[in-house]
């Protein structure tokens, strides 16, 4: 049963899931009764299991997936990252997670943070690059639809290859002439120029 008021808490539950923003986890933890017998878990990728140390039974189930109110998620395709404060709790949570997703696995807090960081890079960082591309096209009276095929193609390649092995573009070719044209084209956008140069340098280093 989902609640948003702690006075509604069932003190005899088997599992307590703290599903709040990362910066609200500790305040909720501090407000919960310390003597809960059920397993208390959070679902944050960037929050250490240690924040739940005041509870006898604790753990984490973290889905590395972007969640939106208006879009359903098929959790059977999402790996659930599990950690418990004891061997038995880890095993119990992993069994629970695998009922939702066969791709679930055990991860330490350190490994979970690595997964969270990687998820931010491929999700949040790529999305802001999509927005910057949208703005460039819009400023030149062009539709974002024009580059949707290449977005799909790049994402599909990343599913089946180590990304650098399918890298394309002027940076991997060391085509400095084209890169200078791009930089000149966005000369009125110094922040975007800096992003372009830094990403191009990262690509070139891996050639």
């Amino acid at each position: 049963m989902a609640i948003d008021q702690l006075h509604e808490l069932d003190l005899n539950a088997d599992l307590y899931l703290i599903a709040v923003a990362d910066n609200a986890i500790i305040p909720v933890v501090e407000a919960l009764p310390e003597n809960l017998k059920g397993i208390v878990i959070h679902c944050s990728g960037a929050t250490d299991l240690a924040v739940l140390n005041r509870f006898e039974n604790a753990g984490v189930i973290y889905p590395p997936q972007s969640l939106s109110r208006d879009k359903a998620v098929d959790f059977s395709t999402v790996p659930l990252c599990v950690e418990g404060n004891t061997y038995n709790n880890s095993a119990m949570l992993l069994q629970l997670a695998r009922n939702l997703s066969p791709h679930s696995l055990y991860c330490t807090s350190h490994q979970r943070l690595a997964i969270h960081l990687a998820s931010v890079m491929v999700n949040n960082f790529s999305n802001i690059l999509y927005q910057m591309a949208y703005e460039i096209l819009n400023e030149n009276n062009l539709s974002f639809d024009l580059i949707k095929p290449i977005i799909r193609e790049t994402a599909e390649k990343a599913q089946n290859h180590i990304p650098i092995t399918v890298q394309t573009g002027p940076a991997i070719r060391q085509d400095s002439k084209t890169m200078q044209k791009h930089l000149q084209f966005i000369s009125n956008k110094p922040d975007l120029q800096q992003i372009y140069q830094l990403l191009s340098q990262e690509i070139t280093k891996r050639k």
Side-chain angles (χ1 to χ4, degrees):
M1 180 180 69
I3 63 169
D4 58 10
Q5 300 294 326
L6 289 182
H7 69 263
E8 299 175 0
L9 193 68
D10 179 355
L11 300 179
N12 299 306
D14 295 322
L15 183 74
Y16 299 92
L17 171 61
I18 301 173
V20 297
D22 284 12
N23 60 4
I25 291 175
I26 291 178
V28 171
V29 166
E30 292 174 345
L32 287 171
E34 190 173 345
N35 60 347
L36 294 173
K37 296 304 179 185
I39 305 177
V40 181
I41 68 173
H42 69 66
C43 52
S44 166
T47 305
D48 199 284
L49 173 62
V51 302
L52 302 176
N53 278 350
R54 68 195 299 261
F55 304 110
E56 180 180 352
N57 298 296
V60 180
I61 298 181
Y62 161 62
Q65 179 59 276
S66 179
L67 304 176
S68 303
R69 290 180 183 273
D70 57 351
K71 189 175 188 302
V73 173
D74 179 4
F75 277 98
S76 67
T77 67
V78 178
L80 300 177
C81 304
V82 170
E83 184 179 14
N85 67 335
T86 67
Y87 175 85
N88 286 340
N89 284 338
S90 292
M92 188 181 303
L93 292 174
L94 187 57
Q95 182 179 11
L96 174 64
R98 284 180 174 163
N99 287 332
L100 298 173
S101 169
H103 308 289
S104 300
L105 69 160
Y106 177 81
C107 293
T108 65
S109 289
H110 183 81
Q111 290 173 318
R112 193 172 67 255
L113 183 58
I115 295 170
H116 188 266
L117 172 58
S119 299
V120 166
M121 292 171 71
V122 300
N123 180 37
N124 309 129
F125 290 175
S126 64
N127 194 66
I128 194 61
L129 289 175
Y130 294 158
Q131 177 61 27
M132 291 175 174
Y134 172 89
E135 291 168 2
I136 288 171
L137 292 170
N138 189 57
E139 289 166 6
N140 289 276
N141 299 311
L142 294 165
S143 171
F144 187 63
D145 289 344
L146 291 166
I147 62 171
K148 286 181 180 178
I150 196 171
I151 291 173
R152 287 192 293 269
E153 174 71 9
T154 304
E156 287 173 6
K157 285 179 179 177
Q159 304 299 312
N160 301 300
H161 300 84
I162 297 173
I164 194 62
T165 65
V166 289
Q167 184 72 53
T168 62
I172 200 72
R173 298 193 303 268
Q174 296 186 335
D175 182 353
S176 57
K177 186 174 181 180
T178 296
M179 289 191 285
Q180 284 303 314
K181 283 184 177 180
H182 289 167
L183 289 169
Q184 180 60 36
F185 191 83
I186 55 174
S187 58
N188 63 330
K189 302 178 186 293
D191 290 345
L192 181 54
Q193 279 189 320
Q194 186 176 10
I195 291 169
Y196 183 101
Q197 289 174 312
L198 286 172
L199 291 177
S200 295
Q201 288 169 13
E202 287 300 316
I203 293 170
T204 303
K205 284 194 301 189
R206 289 166 170 78
K207 180 174 170 59

